[in-house]
Amino acid sequence: MNILDSSGEEGVCVEMTMVCLSDFEEYAKQHLSKATWDYYDAGADDCCTRDDNLLAYKRIRLRPRILRDVSLNDTRTSVLGMEISFPVGIAPTAFHCLAWHEGELATARATEALNTCYIASTYSTCSVEEIAAAAPSGYRWFQLYLYRDRKLSEQIVRRVEALGFKALVLTVDVPYTGKRRNDIRNQFKLPPHLKVKNFEGMFQEQTGPQEEYGIPANTLDPSISWKDVCWLQSLSRLPIIIKGILTKEDAELAVEHGVQGIIVSNHGGRQLDGGPATIDCLPEIVDAVQGRVEVYMDGGIRTGNDVLKAIALGAKCVFIGRPAIWGLAYKGEEGVREILQILHDEFRLCMALSGCRNVAEINRNLIQLSRL
């Protein structure tokens, strides 16, 4: 873009310096089509929960310790026994090719380069085989829905297990799709050149107006229940992580059913509006499971400061969704790498300024809940 210098004369075209995640958000909003931006940005109904996911972090204050010799900082942690460079991974989000032509391949390579965890979405515009080939050394989990036709779910589980994905992330908060008003107004559909590649060719007899987000409407199974967790365990030896838990009661049930992890998530505010922000749910869930399973969370992470607060409240790792899309829209793989690097550097700085030398030193003594 052209800019004006101090004299008011038009200057040369310069590239915007990307300092924080909101810079990437603004770039994506300006450069993606309205329908694509609205799809990624959407919350359910009035978007109260989507917005509160962000606002909730501003109600939390830190209690920094001083004179702690923070000349050396170690941001490394582990998830399911695998060491990652810092406690931020990529959450499952759909249709990355809408934001960048290489789509999930770019996301996978960026996550591999930063040595952290990428949760590939069922609704990817690249297949799991393509994702695995793009980042062969990457640490990947697979996000799974259960369908009325269980064979669809079973086939994809077999594929990801054979490809070396390390866990199954079962999304449990979508018995039906939430009402996303702008998607309805825009009559959102995938463009003809893009497909839900993991199911390519499986729905050829069912296309047209009944399609919902790239697959036939009513494919998701609203009868999903805890017995399906047992079915999934009988199908695969991969660890199972439940994504979409917001209460201590369901956290207890998850532990009783033998899962290996919980992602505290409200689907980015895209399902039930009026529910709580995920960071507000985190402490009761951490207290309920008492270390028996690992607890992760997503929703509203925009700064390294947010990451620090989530880890202090008991999350083992957090996952980012929309920011990864903004990075893709900016510069593909390089953009996602920049997003992750900014979060890493901000997290490391906030750790040091709080008096924490490694992730193990981050705990609830760091948190003061203000009454804003």
Side-chain angles (χ1 to χ4, degrees), residues 125-305:
T125 38
C126 301
S127 70
V128 288
E129 288 80 8
E130 291 168 330
I131 292 168
S137 299
Y139 182 58
R140 294 178 301 276
W141 298 348
F142 181 75
Q143 175 270 330
L144 178 72
Y145 291 103
L146 292 188
Y147 299 102
R148 293 175 189 267
D149 181 356
R150 285 292 191 272
K151 289 181 181 178
L152 290 174
S153 302
E154 182 174 347
Q155 288 172 2
I156 193 72
V157 168
R158 304 284 190 207
R159 287 163 63 191
V160 299
E161 191 164 17
L163 288 165
F165 285 71
K166 299 303 182 184
L168 299 173
V169 178
L170 179 63
T171 296
V172 295
D173 56 1
V174 192
Y176 301 96
T177 303
K179 183 177 182 180
R180 303 161 195 172
R181 294 173 183 173
N182 280 341
D183 285 351
I184 298 170
R185 294 186 180 109
N186 296 332
Q187 297 183 315
F188 175 82
K189 283 188 177 182
L190 278 180
H193 70 283
L194 295 180
K195 305 291 182 187
V196 180
K197 287 293 287 292
N198 288 320
F199 296 130
E200 191 171 23
M202 296 184 184
F203 298 116
Q204 288 179 337
E205 72 286 357
Q206 302 181 59
T207 57
Q210 294 184 326
E211 182 181 294
E212 184 176 64
Y213 297 112
I215 66 173
N218 301 316
T219 302
L220 291 171
D221 189 352
S223 76
I224 183 174
S225 69
W226 287 106
K227 64 179 172 48
D228 294 302
V229 175
C230 300
W231 173 78
L232 199 55
Q233 289 166 331
S234 73
L235 195 65
S236 172
R237 295 182 179 180
L238 290 177
I240 294 173
I241 297 160
I242 302 292
K243 176 180 179 289
I245 286 180
L246 295 171
T247 64
K248 62 183 179 181
E249 292 87 352
D250 284 334
E252 285 281 6
L253 284 167
V255 173
E256 290 173 15
H257 283 82
V259 306
Q260 281 71 43
I262 289 169
I263 300 180
V264 181
S265 175
N266 55 29
H267 218 96
R270 294 162 71 83
Q271 284 298 105
L272 175 67
D273 200 26
T278 48
I279 192 69
D280 290 339
C281 299
L282 182 61
E284 77 167 66
I285 291 172
V286 170
D287 290 345
V289 305
Q290 297 181 342
R292 290 173 289 175
V293 301
E294 293 186 350
V295 178
Y296 321 109
M297 67 154 287
D298 63 22
I301 296 288
R302 298 294 182 268
T303 67
N305 192 286

